[in-house]
Amino acid sequence: MWPMGHVRRSTILCGLAGLALLASATQVIAQDVPSRQDRALHSRLLTLDTHLDTPANLERSGWDIMQSHADQGMFSQVDVPRMRSGGLDGGFWVIFTPQGPLTSAGYAAARDTAIVRAMRIREMVAGHKDTFELAVNAGDAARIVKSGRLVVFQSIENSYPLGEDVSLLKTFYDLGVRMAGPVHGANNQFADSATDPVKRWGGLSPLGRAWLQEANRLGILVDGSHASDETIEQLVALSKTPIILSHHGAKSVFDHPRNLDDDKLRRVAASGAVVQMNSMYVYGGKSYPELRAKQGALRLKMARWAQLTPADRKTLSAEIASLDDAYPNWRGSFDNYMANILHVLKLVGPDHVGMGADWDGGGGVRGFDSVAELPRITARLRAEGYSEADLAKIWGGNVLRLLSQAEAYSQSLKPAAY
């Protein structure tokens, strides 16, 4: 979730690789403008993103998923008009809960927050039945897209709301959750976090191992994003089916704790896992001490969007749009994002790469601020020589394969019907 990731970014670029990325940020590459053929190909693909933080916006007063919010910049990146124009067929809509105290009261508050977020997602679907449909197994996705609707899988980012009762995972499974990660920005009762400086468990806790066993039993796809390297290695080793990194990146492109080095990326892929490419942590950015306060003030104004006059909304939109000009190079460019994607593709191949840009949770880069721009990725990958079959795997086939494997393992545990 944004802004947490942005304010944690290091400001140090990594040697020559970082300098090359900085130089590339100013280049205009012709193949980034999708041709008619690129768009036709993109429209044929089943296109899913595995980390949509958009459910947070469902709780904003006056915010409507059916309306375009293009004028709200990085504060709103996914809505139905832009999903349609960008060819996004849906994905995993996130039940995110910030890390809080590891106490009974903390667990109870987080549990209630998570259930309300799950209800918001289901209410969105119920309120727009001609537009959305809940998906609960891998086979649902193609059927829903064929019907003209948008795919709504659900995922849990941070299992902290489960407290110390892993059986609550079944409650969320019954609500439709089909992907879950154990941890977020700080160590919790299940695992160590990539961004917590002091590791507590050396990977998974004993309770985390029980959590993993329950996720496998239910057929929930296990997500290692935000987990420490040691946690990811243990998830890979212990999970009965391949895991996913729902929004991740390459440390050799940008050295950040949330990214994996090349050796670990190869080992994760060799296990059958898939790395979904995040558009955060792809570039160090320039540090501006006042920027965080400015972003906080804009977020407060955004929270009152429904009460603003048309003139005030226009002014606020202009303020948001001016951030990139007012604070040059505070975030990465489309070229930086593509450098991350292309590096991992060349490292592990298209069978182990997908898309999870972290939309509405801090994702997006300069000039690539919403899902309306997704055909640009298809255009660049096509120009790089990737085939339609490759792109079909990257945009949705790989994650659906993993979900099918999780489902099959769960089914294998059930007694045979006679």
Side-chain angles (χ1 to χ4, degrees), residues 204 209 211-213 215-216 220-223 232-244 271 406 409:
L204 290 166
R209 291 170 185 250
W211 172 92
L212 174 59
Q213 186 176 29
N216 283 161
I220 291 176
L221 183 53
V222 174
D223 180 11
I232 291 172
E233 289 176 349
Q234 291 169 19
L235 291 173
V236 167
L238 298 173
S239 179
K240 299 299 183 181
T241 64
I243 73 164
I244 194 167
S271 74
Y409 176 76

Side-chain angles (χ1 to χ4, degrees), residues 360-375:
D360 288 327
V365 287
R366 196 166 64 253
F368 188 76
D369 259 322
S370 84
V371 295
E373 302 293 331
L374 294 183

